[in-house]
Amino acid sequence: MKLNELKVSNPYLALDPEFYERVKPDPLEKAHLIHVNKTVAKTLNIDEEELESEDFVRLLNGEFEAEGSDPFAMCYAGHQFGHFVPRLGDGRAINIGTIDKFQLQLKGAGITEYSRMGDGRAVLRSSIREYLMSEAMTNLRIPTTLCLGIIGSEHPVSRQGIEETGAIVCRVSTSWVRFGTFEYFAANGEFEKLKALADYVINENFPHINGRPDPYKLLFNEVMVITSRLLAQWMSVGFNHGVMNTDNMSIAGLTIDYGPFAFLDDFKHGNVCNHTDTEGRYSYESQPAVSKWNLERLMKALSPLTPIEGMEKLLSIYDKIYARYTHYYMCKKLGLEGTVEGDPDLIDDMYDMLEKLKVDYTLFLRTLSHYKHKGDRSDLLATALYHEPMNEWLDVYDERIKYIDPTERRNQMLNVNPKYVLKNYMLQEGIDAAEKGDFSVVDNLFKIAKQPFEEHPEFERWAKATPKEFRNQRLSCSS
Ligand code: AMP
Ligand code: MG
């Protein structure tokens, strides 16, 4: 489709005006295209030639109005670091329309009535992080919001006294509703609107529930199951989100709102990636429990629509569901066939061993994928300074994989253990170059984000353990 044939709809605007504010994007000065995601463009049925046009930059800059355009920002509440904030909302993201089931949103496109003290902007570095990371997660097969493209600009934006430049990512998702959207209407006692929101979400994301008895309990069940699966996937790749506030929890079970996230460097249960998270509330190991706590907030918000006892019963099996998913993903990563009694211990012991030896999580699992037999341990042992605990663990592992076909195991493991994940030091390399006007590193990072399980000999350096000086660092939330 040509851009001038583009038609958008806005189903969210059928809800009560309290759900949103109609607001026009405020374009950035001197915007230029940094990168476009051709796969996402194809999903949206936008012709490839159009992606190089001026109009495409104007679309991402909020200047190009597609037919049916009626931009708006969404209202929501949320528990931030455990404290309820009754009114948040899109303070810098503006929805510009839906194409099929995909909702386009410009992050950093100016002030809305939910901006509070913020300037409605997003800086280049955080936009690059979100842009690349959504592609990386997609190809790790982890549910996530997507990005169509990213533009930079000469628009001055100040963060913590430092002058930076503004950027916009055009985010694409099948839902922008958050747990906090439900909390907003529940806290205000507006149960009709709460019901309208639940019906909207069911229609949009869980149509199979439609018309079934007690749909709101079923809705809670669906969200609980997809959230627990998402968490198991995050944990299995060593992803630490960093800001799991309820306003950053997607009702559609997607990874949403990329901020000071990190992939683990050395394996560390208690890894904290968010500099402002002094208590470690959102540490790597806390994530499954935090998501359960967040689901409890959602449950309370939904309780005017369905008896809470039913949802409590469902939530009481959250740990079991999460453990099942984790077991499933980790057995795949270790190449284990079937189920053997000692498997959970084997997995836990691996984590403890990696933490004790400060081994790079991604590198270890990728190297383990190539591991053949006892006489072939040198590459694995080279990932650690001391060998004994790893040898001990490998002895147990050898015993477990004894009857599994080695070629099949290898092929399966190479398909689930990425060679490349976007560690923070790599993203920072891309950002440092981009801030000087060189986007070639961003291009290269996009290539590995697109094919994380492939070899890419030219980027071998990024498949090694994170350089010591960059390991397990914390990032500031300021974005
Ligand atoms: P985040 O940490 O990006 O998920 O944002 C939390 C809340 O703060 C959301 O309501 C955002 O819309 C809002 N926010 C973050 N940064 C800005 C900004 N620069 N201007 C306006 N609102 C912002
Ligand atoms: Mg957010």
Side-chain angles (χ1 to χ4, degrees), residues 37-235:
N37 190 318
K38 289 185 181 166
T39 316
V40 176
K42 201 166 173 192
T43 305
L44 297 173
N45 199 19
I46 300 175
D47 288 353
E48 199 167 326
E49 310 86 71
E50 294 291 293
L51 306 176
E52 283 158 29
S53 69
E54 266 307 301
D55 275 348
F56 186 67
V57 178
R58 292 178 63 242
L59 177 75
L60 269 51
N61 202 16
E63 297 168 299
F64 180 91
E65 288 192 9
E67 191 183 329
S69 170
D70 194 354
F72 63 95
M74 291 160 73
C75 180
Y76 49 84
H79 275 84
Q80 298 194 313
F81 288 91
H83 303 286
F84 185 62
V85 184
R87 192 167 186 269
L88 290 162
D90 294 329
R92 53 174 170 171
I94 297 178
N95 291 275
I96 57 164
T98 299
I99 301 173
D100 291 334
K101 56 183 182 179
F102 298 102
Q103 303 166 27
L104 277 60
Q105 180 179 87
L106 304 178
K107 183 168 174 180
I111 285 178
T112 74
E113 78 173 54
Y114 314 110
S115 296
R116 294 171 291 155
M117 308 296 282
D119 59 5
R121 295 301 180 194
V123 292
L124 180 64
R125 61 187 156 79
S126 64
S127 306
I128 288 176
R129 286 170 59 81
E130 172 145 17
Y131 179 76
L132 290 172
M133 196 54 188
S134 61
E135 180 64 10
M137 291 298 247
T138 301
N139 296 300
L140 292 171
R141 310 175 195 113
I142 299 179
T144 176
T145 60
L146 310 170
C147 288
L148 169 63
I150 174 170
I151 54 171
S153 76
E154 291 178 24
H155 202 106
V157 177
S158 171
R159 290 286 178 272
Q160 295 172 324
I162 297 170
E163 283 294 305
E164 303 190 40
T165 54
I168 293 177
V169 283
C170 178
R171 311 201 288 183
V172 177
S173 181
T174 50
S175 174
W176 290 110
V177 174
R178 297 133 194 281
F179 289 12
T181 322
F182 285 88
E183 288 180 284
Y184 178 87
F185 293 101
N188 289 344
E190 299 187 274
F191 302 147
E192 274 309 307
K193 289 173 191 165
L194 185 71
K195 184 171 173 300
L197 177 63
D199 291 338
Y200 171 86
V201 167
I202 289 172
N203 255 322
E204 187 159 81
N205 303 105
F206 308 100
H208 52 283
I209 298 177
N210 243 331
R212 294 194 36 201
D214 207 347
Y216 309 116
K217 180 178 157 188
L218 292 178
L219 171 64
F220 182 71
N221 186 52
E222 292 280 331
V223 178
M224 182 184 76
V225 171
I226 57 179
T227 304
S228 65
R229 187 183 63 198
L230 177 71
L231 265 290
Q233 288 185 286
W234 283 4
M235 298 302 281

Side-chain angles (χ1 to χ4, degrees), residues 179-327:
F179 289 12
T181 322
F182 285 88
E183 288 180 284
Y184 178 87
F185 293 101
N188 289 344
E190 299 187 274
F191 302 147
E192 274 309 307
K193 289 173 191 165
L194 185 71
K195 184 171 173 300
L197 177 63
D199 291 338
Y200 171 86
V201 167
I202 289 172
N203 255 322
E204 187 159 81
N205 303 105
F206 308 100
H208 52 283
I209 298 177
N210 243 331
R212 294 194 36 201
D214 207 347
Y216 309 116
K217 180 178 157 188
L218 292 178
L219 171 64
F220 182 71
N221 186 52
E222 292 280 331
V223 178
M224 182 184 76
V225 171
I226 57 179
T227 304
S228 65
R229 187 183 63 198
L230 177 71
L231 265 290
Q233 288 185 286
W234 283 4
M235 298 302 281
S236 78
V237 294
F239 176 73
N240 193 178
H241 181 283
V243 207
M244 288 176 66
N245 295 330
T246 54
D247 51 298
N248 291 338
M249 294 292 292
S250 158
I251 203 74
L254 309 170
T255 314
I256 191 175
D257 283 11
Y258 292 95
F261 64 81
F263 275 109
L264 294 182
D265 301 299
D266 295 348
F267 184 84
K268 197 172 161 195
H269 284 104
N271 190 68
V272 177
C273 56
N274 182 349
H275 181 70
T276 46
D277 185 10
T278 46
E279 312 262 295
R281 180 182 175 88
Y282 298 138
S283 72
Y284 170 72
E285 70 184 343
S286 304
Q287 296 185 124
V290 165
S291 81
K292 186 180 177 183
W293 190 89
N294 289 342
L295 282 161
E296 217 173 300
R297 308 280 83 70
L298 179 68
M299 175 184 82
K300 293 206 165 130
L302 285 172
S303 63
L305 305 182
T306 176
I308 197 161
E309 293 76 15
M311 290 188 286
E312 277 170 348
K313 214 166 169 186
L314 290 170
L315 195 60
S316 72
I317 55 166
Y318 173 88
D319 294 339
K320 265 200 191 135
I321 298 175
Y322 170 75
R324 281 258 174 110
Y325 276 126
T326 294
H327 190 72

